[in-house]
């Protein structure tokens, strides 16, 4: 009988993507997916250290897994896997500590045949087992060189490493060939992507000129254009971008490439320049606002979303109000608002975390109130218009749900033909929008 595995994922889309590669790796080596964590021979926990709440979940979960399944082997990977304090705290429960960049040597640690040889792109070259049949994360790199003062990623994942353009494009081409409709290119910092041309073998009818051909480097705008030219009916999204690396070439590529969606997620993190300086973000609020203006001018109908942290060490009421002003000025569609919590080993962990919890919560609520209003105003503009929607599933009320190219959630009421409804999952359909809500839209299928 085959040995079985189960994966529990905590955290971001990079962790979800890593888990698809872990699943692919284990299945190539004879493991089968278990339908229960309590019966699996191997449980992999993909951890997140970006927020304290995510870390606390791990401390609760790991002992529980061992208690309900004493014979299980626990593999801990993700952001917490290299941290000495976490290793000390969980050492009696965890059997294998595996920073994700060491995935290729997992077989040795499990005492099984390793099989495949490693590639220059490291673990990113492993064949994944995709979770969805129509939407796929395609990692283009791993790690970060930016060292924002609050962030664990450069310590947890290491410095930036990028995959060959050739390998990425082959993965995208394979997915599109299998009928995938949404390709999400991901890395901690997609827009600092670079791949050297000497390794570049991929051939497609390419109507765009590779801009940096003289320097023999493929950068992110080039990669987008090349992926865009793969024949097929599909969308491309990408995440996450750093404002300092958001070049004019990249904005033009998004505007020109018909398969690239009109959605830019651009973390601002704060609206006050002194806080931005102490966060080591390397831009000012004025630069950021100017960038958004440019993006909106060049990419028709673009939707802009962001990340922001409230209660960073030393953030005064006056400094927070600069973030409030920026939110009112820019009118984001969506923002992931985090209450600051010090992260082990980072530069800001040495600063005094001096904003009380209740005040952080109040600041979060202030920004969410602005967002609800600005998102609703933007959504109202869609009423009476048609939008192409990628259907992601059916909710409990029997309504279809999906997203527009501009990352807006849409619910669609549909008649009683259940088979027809089920067949629409993973397809593009044309929807007439007839209602706007705070963060979503409602509509009907255009006949
Ligand atoms: S850019 Fe900053 S916030 Fe983003 S992963 Fe790198 S260090 Fe972390």
């Amino acid at each position: 009988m085959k040995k079985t595995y189960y994966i529990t994922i905590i955290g971001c889309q990079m962790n979800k993507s890593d888990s698809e590669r872990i699943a692919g790796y284990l299945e190539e080596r004879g493991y089968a997916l278990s339908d229960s964590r309590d019966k699996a021979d191997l449980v992999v926990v993909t951890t997140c250290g970006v927020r304290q709440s995510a870390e606390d979940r791990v401390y609760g979960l790991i002992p529980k897994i061992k208690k309900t399944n004493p014979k299980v082997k626990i593999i801990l990977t993700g952001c917490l896997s290299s941290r000495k304090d976490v290793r000390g705290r969980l050492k009696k429960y965890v059997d294998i500590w595996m920073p994700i960049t060491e995935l290729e040597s997992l077989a040795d640690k499990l005492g099984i045949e390793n099989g495949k040889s490693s590639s220059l792109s490291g673990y990113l070259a492993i064949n994944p087992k995709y979770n969805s049949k129509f939407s796929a994360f395609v990692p283009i790199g791993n790690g970060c060189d930016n060292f924002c003062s609050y962030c664990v990623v450069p310590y947890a994942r290491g410095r930036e490493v990028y995959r060959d353009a050739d390998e990425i494009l082959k993965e995208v081409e394979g997915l599109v060939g299998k009928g995938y409709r949404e390709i999400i290119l991901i890395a901690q910092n997609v827009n600092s992507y670079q791949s050297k041309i000497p390794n570049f073998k991929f051939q497609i009818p390419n109507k765009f000129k590779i801009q940096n051909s003289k320097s023999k480097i493929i950068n992110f705008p080039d990669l987008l254009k090349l992926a865009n030219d793969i024949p097929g009916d599909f969308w491309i999204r990408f995440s996450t971008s750093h404002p300092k690396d958001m070049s004019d070439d990249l904005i033009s590529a998004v505007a020109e490439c018909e398969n690239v969606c009109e959605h830019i997620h651009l973390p601002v993190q704060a609206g006050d320049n002194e806080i931005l300086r102490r966060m080591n973000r390397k831009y000012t609020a004025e630069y950021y606002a100017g960038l958004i203006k440019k993006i909106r001018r060049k990419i028709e109908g673009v939707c802009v979303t962001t990340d922001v942290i409230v209660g960073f060490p030393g953030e005064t009421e006056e400094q927070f109000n600069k973030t409030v002003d920026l939110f009112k000025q820019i009118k984001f569609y969506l923002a992931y608002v985090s209450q600051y919590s010090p992260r082990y080993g980072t530069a800001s962990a040495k600063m005094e975390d001096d904003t009380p919890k209740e005040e952080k919560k109040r600041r979060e609520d202030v920004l969410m109130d602005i967002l609800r209003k600005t998102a609703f105003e933007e959504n109202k503009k869609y009423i009476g218009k048609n939008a192409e929607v990628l259907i992601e599933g059916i909710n409990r009320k029997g309504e279809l749900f999906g997203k527009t190219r501009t990352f807006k959630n849409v619910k669609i009421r549909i008649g009683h033909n259940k088979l027809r409804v089920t067949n629409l999952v993973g397809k593009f359909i044309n929807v007439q929008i007839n209602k706007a809500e705070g963060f979503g839209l409602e509509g009907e299928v255009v006949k």
Side-chain angles (χ1 to χ4, degrees), residues 84-197:
K84 277 195 192 136
D85 61 323
V86 178
R87 288 188 177 207
R89 188 165 172 172
L90 295 175
K91 70 173 179 238
K92 64 175 181 185
Y93 308 105
V94 174
D95 298 276
I96 297 174
W97 298 91
M98 187 188 71
I100 191 65
T101 47
E102 294 173 14
L103 172 57
E104 290 162 295
S105 57
L106 177 60
D108 301 334
K109 290 176 188 155
L110 288 169
I112 56 170
E113 189 93 3
N114 203 343
K116 299 220 162 173
S117 62
S118 59
S119 107
L120 280 177
S121 300
Y123 86 95
L124 294 174
I126 291 170
N127 285 331
K129 184 191 174 204
Y130 301 105
N131 276 326
S132 160
K133 298 260 182 294
F134 59 87
S135 172
F137 292 120
V138 175
I140 65 169
N142 180 44
C144 184
D145 292 348
N146 286 325
F147 288 91
C148 299
S149 64
Y150 52 82
C151 182
V152 289
V153 168
Y155 309 97
R157 287 187 171 267
R159 302 299 169 84
E160 290 170 19
V161 177
Y162 290 108
R163 287 175 86 185
D164 278 357
D166 203 26
E167 191 181 284
I168 297 167
L169 293 164
K170 267 191 209 120
E171 186 175 342
V172 175
E173 189 187 40
L175 287 161
V176 173
K178 283 188 211 136
Y180 276 74
R181 294 286 182 240
E182 184 178 56
I183 304 295
I184 309 167
L185 303 175
I186 56 166
Q188 266 75 38
N189 228 347
V190 281
N191 46 9
S192 52
Y193 173 84
Q194 290 203 329
S195 164
K196 295 209 170 69
I197 282 185

Side-chain angles (χ1 to χ4, degrees), residues 27-314:
E27 293 198 7
E28 268 184 20
R29 283 154 186 82
Y31 280 80
L33 180 66
S34 168
D35 56 7
S36 156
R37 192 165 63 199
D38 296 343
K39 290 189 208 139
D41 297 301
L42 211 62
V43 171
V44 183
V45 181
T46 311
T47 61
C48 170
V50 167
R51 293 188 194 157
Q52 189 58 43
S53 54
E55 197 174 316
D56 290 342
R57 268 183 73 195
V58 176
Y59 298 139
L61 180 68
I62 300 281
K64 204 164 117 198
I65 296 174
K66 250 323 196 272
K67 197 172 167 204
T68 49
N69 185 359
K71 287 192 190 139
V72 72
K73 251 193 184 147
I74 297 182
I75 300 175
L76 193 140
T77 186
C79 277
L80 300 182
S81 58
S82 313
R83 272 197 19 207
K84 277 195 192 136
D85 61 323
V86 178
R87 288 188 177 207
R89 188 165 172 172
L90 295 175
K91 70 173 179 238
K92 64 175 181 185
Y93 308 105
V94 174
D95 298 276
I96 297 174
W97 298 91
M98 187 188 71
I100 191 65
T101 47
E102 294 173 14
L103 172 57
E104 290 162 295
S105 57
L106 177 60
D108 301 334
K109 290 176 188 155
L110 288 169
I112 56 170
E113 189 93 3
N114 203 343
K116 299 220 162 173
S117 62
S118 59
S119 107
L120 280 177
S121 300
Y123 86 95
L124 294 174
I126 291 170
N127 285 331
K129 184 191 174 204
Y130 301 105
N131 276 326
S132 160
K133 298 260 182 294
F134 59 87
S135 172
F137 292 120
V138 175
I140 65 169
N142 180 44
C144 184
D145 292 348
N146 286 325
F147 288 91
C148 299
S149 64
Y150 52 82
C151 182
V152 289
V153 168
Y155 309 97
R157 287 187 171 267
R159 302 299 169 84
E160 290 170 19
V161 177
Y162 290 108
R163 287 175 86 185
D164 278 357
D166 203 26
E167 191 181 284
I168 297 167
L169 293 164
K170 267 191 209 120
E171 186 175 342
V172 175
E173 189 187 40
L175 287 161
V176 173
K178 283 188 211 136
Y180 276 74
R181 294 286 182 240
E182 184 178 56
I183 304 295
I184 309 167
L185 303 175
I186 56 166
Q188 266 75 38
N189 228 347
V190 281
N191 46 9
S192 52
Y193 173 84
Q194 290 203 329
S195 164
K196 295 209 170 69
I197 282 185
N199 292 326
F200 191 70
K201 301 170 210 90
F202 192 79
Q203 285 189 353
I204 48 169
N206 177 20
K207 62 186 180 221
F208 293 100
K209 260 198 157 44
I210 299 291
Q211 301 222 350
N212 287 336
S213 59
K214 275 195 202 125
S215 59
K216 298 192 189 315
I217 296 280
I218 292 184
N219 61 19
F220 189 60
D222 297 330
L223 185 73
L224 270 188
K225 291 170 186 176
L226 288 159
N228 181 73
D229 282 359
I230 292 172
D233 188 13
F234 67 106
W235 291 351
I236 302 171
R237 298 189 188 277
F238 60 90
S239 176
T240 292
S241 305
H242 194 297
K244 76 176 169 52
D245 300 318
M246 195 78 201
S247 66
D248 287 355
D249 281 352
L250 176 52
I251 299 170
S252 302
V254 177
E256 284 168 24
C257 293
E258 62 277 12
N259 292 334
V260 178
C261 292
E262 298 81 9
H263 170 221
I264 302 282
H265 183 71
L266 201 59
V268 65
Q269 304 300 13
D272 177 79
N273 289 341
E274 172 56 18
I275 297 292
L276 285 170
R277 191 190 64 74
R278 288 201 282 121
M279 286 177 162
N280 195 27
R281 291 292 288 175
K282 303 186 182 88
Y283 55 83
T284 62
E286 293 74 25
Y287 164 85
Y288 184 92
L291 191 56
I292 299 295
K293 250 192 192 164
K294 200 190 305 178
I295 288 169
R296 286 185 168 146
R297 207 171 49 236
K298 291 199 174 167
I299 308 170
E300 205 190 324
V302 71
C303 169
V304 180
T305 57
T306 197
D307 295 337
V308 67
I309 296 170
V310 293
F312 186 80

